[in-house]
Amino acid sequence: MVVRASALDRDDGLSPDEIRAQLERVLASDIFRAAPQLTAFLGYIVEQTLAGRAAELKGYTIAVEAFGRSPDFDPQTDPIVRVEAGRLRKALNLYFAADGVADPVRITVPVGAYVPAFERVAPLGLPAEEEVPAQDAFGAQEAQGERAAPVENGAAAARPSRYWLYVAGLGLLLACAAIAFWYWRAQGPGRTAAQLPDIASQLPPPPAAPRSAPLPTVQAVVPVKARLPVVSVEVAETVTDPSLDDITRNFVRQVADTMARFDDLLVVKLPEPMTRSGDGADYVLTVSFSRVGDAIEGHARLSTAKGGRVVWTTSRERSIGDFSDAARLRDTAQQLAIRLAQPFGVLHADARLAPPTPEAGCLFLAVNLRRTMRAEDHLAARTCLEGIVARDPEFHPAWSQLALLTLDEYSSDFNARPGSALDRALAAAVTAVRLAPASARAHQVMMDALFLRGAIEDALKSGQEALARNPYDPDVLASVGARYVQLNRPAEGLPLLERAVALSNGRPPWYDFYLYLAAYLTGATKLADAHAALINAEETPLGLIGRAMAAAASGDSFALDHALQTLRQKVPLFDLDARLYLARRGFSTEVAERILAVINSGGLRPR
């Protein structure tokens, strides 16, 4: 039901108090707090409508009374009201698609006029009043009474089509209860519930069942232990030169130790004596060394334990002195381990196509989102991971990735749910750290969750902890480096980003964007140009921002226009308020202004 100004006095209409309460919710959102002109516009037209003066809402009166223009304002020569009306419609669409998705009243401004329309969301389980069967008249009367009451909590008014999603979410609630019980067992009965990560409270409450259908029976989720891919690192059976035995075994231990740092992506094992090759593993990495004249040639092969499919091989020839030097031997072993185990490495590429475990498939789906940055990939990864934690609430890698995906709801507006995404992300990050305090990834996502909440110093401490836990992970290096760049501290971020790029051939494009931005901020023009070329074809939001900056700096107006047009289509919030979008991504005011200044220099100004 849409209730316009002329219908506000009807018995079934929305009361002014309900409309004003909804207006307050809208104006309190991030989108409107950062746009005072839109706030003034919406507040003025709603109050004028409620006062019965909707017929007076013309371009001239809005410009003079809402925007403070002088009485000689001419709407024919100054399109400010039409432009801001377009922005207002976009802002309302964004709000009701994200923060206001469960609000009880919807406000719109139909195209062609400035008079707002108000729509009440139908109560759960009753699609419309006229659709209620006659035999359920008593229930309809009761529902009518509920509709007339003001709704103060928008999260409680979820839409009917979301009912079954909430029922499915009960499984996740049960999983959260399992986490609480686990912590109570681990910490002792004296630990209070207030000290536990409040994951369940961050979820929207399940609604009442439809009157026309009985409550479905919800079965308890049976815990199923999730597991990561297991890699057995072994000495190849073909090694026949006893003089190289110590070198081979030391090399294998170094590889295993480095790979074990990536404890959110795989499990590493060294075979027990008298066991078969690959026993209990998904992959087998075999290493061998042999003499070739005055040099030593090393071979490594990664294959599947079941079936023996060869995934990847490499070889390298070095002098005997190189392999006899402990430091050089360690460096070579670490390079091999990083190439295999990193988030965008050899194992990731294979597991993405042929997941050795269901959990690996979900994790690498989430990891690969950093390359694509598409809403549909985000939804698929989130759904998959939520199924994992419902079955095994102690599987810390899933909590780490869920924290990152929840931050994407806030920063990229991907599949936003009601309530605070930042609170839910922090709760997931806290859970990951408590389940795996030695995991670098858990501390990395804690950094990201704290950073977007504005707790900068605590965030950087978590970032340094992640680096200490795994200094070989390009994703950790790049994430920490990017945060320094966003804080306008590029001299601290640049070395981390350069090392991340050097270690990751299959890296996502945001590595190169932040390296380009760091080089630009420090005045390293040649380095900036080199990395601008690497993102020249990128269609991710950050890639498009980098392309726009590079095009503006080089005076290429065609490329600048194309990048900005594509960015506005992909990211409506950037078109509405570029500064707000950059702030949500974590950029400091100083860096955001530098980004917009270089784009503005090309003659096309983001709002």
Side-chain angles (χ1 to χ4, degrees):
M1 174 184 63
V2 176
V3 184
R4 299 186 186 276
S6 59
L8 286 173
D9 56 349
R10 290 174 49 185
D11 290 340
D12 60 347
L14 287 159
S15 71
D17 286 346
E18 288 178 284
I19 293 172
R20 287 191 175 99
Q22 182 59 47
L23 177 64
E24 290 180 7
R25 281 189 284 270
V26 173
L27 298 185
S29 67
D30 285 349
I31 294 173
F32 280 85
R33 281 204 309 266
Q37 191 141 287
L38 294 184
T39 297
F41 195 162
L42 183 60
Y44 176 76
I45 63 175
V46 169
E47 289 299 335
Q48 289 293 97
T49 300
L50 294 178
R53 293 190 289 271
E56 301 175 14
L57 291 175
K58 308 296 182 184
Y60 176 83
T61 54
I62 293 171
V64 173
E65 297 185 18
F67 298 161
R69 294 300 175 94
S70 61
D72 61 354
F73 172 80
D74 183 1
Q76 300 302 319
T77 59
D78 188 343
I80 180 65
V81 178
R82 293 194 300 275
V83 171
E84 291 303 306
R87 294 185 65 216
L88 178 59
R89 292 182 186 104
K90 290 180 182 178
L92 288 170
N93 288 338
L94 284 171
Y95 171 78
F96 285 109
D99 294 353
V101 69
D103 285 4
V105 178
R106 188 174 298 270
I107 301 175
T108 58
V109 181
V111 176
Y114 303 124
V115 179
F118 312 103
E119 178 184 3
R120 190 198 302 279
V121 177
L124 213 51
L126 294 176
E129 182 178 358
E130 60 271 17
E131 296 177 10
V132 180
Q135 63 268 27
D136 199 20
F138 177 80
Q141 293 173 3
E142 184 181 60
Q144 176 66 33
E146 292 172 356
R147 283 198 296 272
V151 181
E152 296 180 358
N153 183 1
R159 304 185 77 95
S161 61
R162 300 173 66 89
Y163 169 72
W164 294 108
L165 291 177
Y166 281 106
V167 170
L170 288 175
L172 185 55
L173 289 172
L174 292 172
C176 296
I179 290 177
F181 178 72
W182 183 86
Y183 277 111
W184 181 82
R185 288 282 303 272
Q187 302 294 335
R191 187 172 176 83
T192 65
Q195 294 172 287
L196 297 175
D198 191 12
I199 308 294
S201 68
Q202 306 300 333
L203 296 172
R211 298 179 185 278
S212 57
L215 276 171
T217 302
V218 179
Q219 300 292 334
V221 177
V222 178
V224 177
K225 200 69 176 174
R227 74 176 185 86
L228 292 168
V230 178
V231 181
S232 179
V233 185
E234 305 176 2
V235 177
E237 295 178 357
T238 57
V239 175
T240 57
D241 191 336
S243 66
L244 300 178
D245 186 66
D246 287 343
I247 291 177
T248 305
R249 297 191 183 282
N250 286 337
F251 188 87
V252 164
R253 280 193 293 270
Q254 292 285 354
V255 170
D257 288 348
T258 303
M259 292 180 70
R261 304 274 190 134
F262 297 86
D263 59 355
D264 65 309
L265 299 175
L266 52 87
V267 173
V268 179
K269 61 172 289 187
L270 294 170
E272 296 289 334
M274 307 301 292
T275 59
R276 291 185 307 166
S277 174
D279 191 26
D282 299 293
Y283 293 98
V284 179
L285 176 64
T286 56
V287 176
S288 65
F289 289 95
S290 59
R291 291 185 183 273
V292 181
D294 294 332
I296 297 177
E297 186 175 28
H299 295 267
R301 172 185 291 175
L302 181 71
S303 58
T304 57
K306 186 178 294 185
R309 175 174 59 87
V310 177
V311 175
W312 176 84
T313 64
T314 188
S315 63
R316 179 172 295 182
E317 187 175 309
R318 293 282 183 87
S319 67
I320 294 177
D322 283 347
F323 281 112
S324 299
D325 183 278
R328 292 180 181 176
L329 185 71
R330 182 185 65 247
D331 290 344
T332 303
Q334 289 174 352
Q335 290 171 16
L336 174 64
I338 294 167
R339 190 172 181 183
L340 290 168
Q342 63 173 284
F344 302 97
V346 173
L347 280 166
H348 165 256
D350 186 73
R352 208 160 40 88
L353 298 175
T357 70
E359 296 79 19
C362 289
L363 291 173
F364 286 116
L365 194 63
V367 169
N368 203 56
L369 174 68
R370 304 301 139 200
R371 274 202 187 113
T372 66
M373 292 307 293
R374 294 195 300 244
E376 57 268 30
D377 296 338
H378 174 273
L379 181 60
R382 186 177 70 184
T383 302
C384 196
L385 289 168
E386 286 176 345
I388 291 176
V389 297
R391 296 190 299 272
D392 184 359
E394 297 179 22
F395 190 61
H396 73 88
W399 286 111
S400 292
Q401 293 298 331
L402 277 173
L404 292 175
L405 294 174
T406 307
L407 290 175
D408 290 331
E409 292 182 38
Y410 172 79
S411 61
S412 299
D413 200 27
F414 283 166
N415 306 299
R417 287 170 165 166
S420 171
L422 292 182
D423 288 349
R424 286 184 280 115
L426 181 62
V430 167
T431 303
V433 170
R434 288 181 174 175
L435 289 173
S439 172
R441 191 79 58 222
H443 290 283
Q444 176 193 345
V445 301
M446 178 64 79
M447 172 192 69
D448 289 339
L450 291 171
F451 193 91
L452 291 185
R453 296 173 70 89
I456 302 302
E457 292 307 315
D458 288 339
L460 294 180
K461 287 179 182 177
S462 292
Q464 292 299 325
E465 182 69 20
L467 287 172
R469 298 288 177 184
N470 190 357
Y472 314 114
D473 188 336
D475 216 51
V476 172
L477 290 161
S479 294
V480 179
R483 294 309 184 191
Y484 281 117
V485 173
Q486 289 182 319
L487 291 171
N488 204 21
R489 295 160 63 175
E492 295 169 81
L494 191 57
L496 296 171
L497 288 160
E498 287 182 312
R499 176 158 170 75
V501 167
L503 291 175
S504 182
N505 291 329
R507 61 187 177 272
W510 66 266
Y511 286 27
D512 292 292
F513 166 77
Y514 280 108
L515 192 47
Y516 162 74
L517 182 58
Y520 173 80
L521 293 174
T522 56
T525 306
K526 288 185 178 180
L527 182 61
D529 290 344
H531 286 279
L534 293 174
I535 58 175
N536 194 41
E538 281 304 323
E539 296 285 324
T540 59
L542 289 179
L544 288 166
I545 291 173
R547 286 172 58 185
M549 292 177 65
S554 65
D556 189 342
S557 59
F558 177 81
L560 172 60
D561 180 63
H562 177 74
L564 287 179
Q565 290 291 344
T566 308
L567 183 60
R568 288 165 180 160
Q569 292 171 5
K570 288 179 173 286
V571 186
L573 183 56
F574 187 88
D575 184 32
L576 178 70
D577 191 329
R579 288 174 176 81
L580 175 59
Y581 173 74
L582 293 172
R584 283 193 166 197
R585 294 300 298 254
F587 292 92
S588 65
T589 302
E590 298 86 352
V591 174
E593 292 302 326
R594 292 283 300 275
I595 291 173
L596 296 179
V598 68
I599 294 176
N600 291 344
S601 70
L604 295 175
R605 296 180 175 272
R607 295 183 178 92

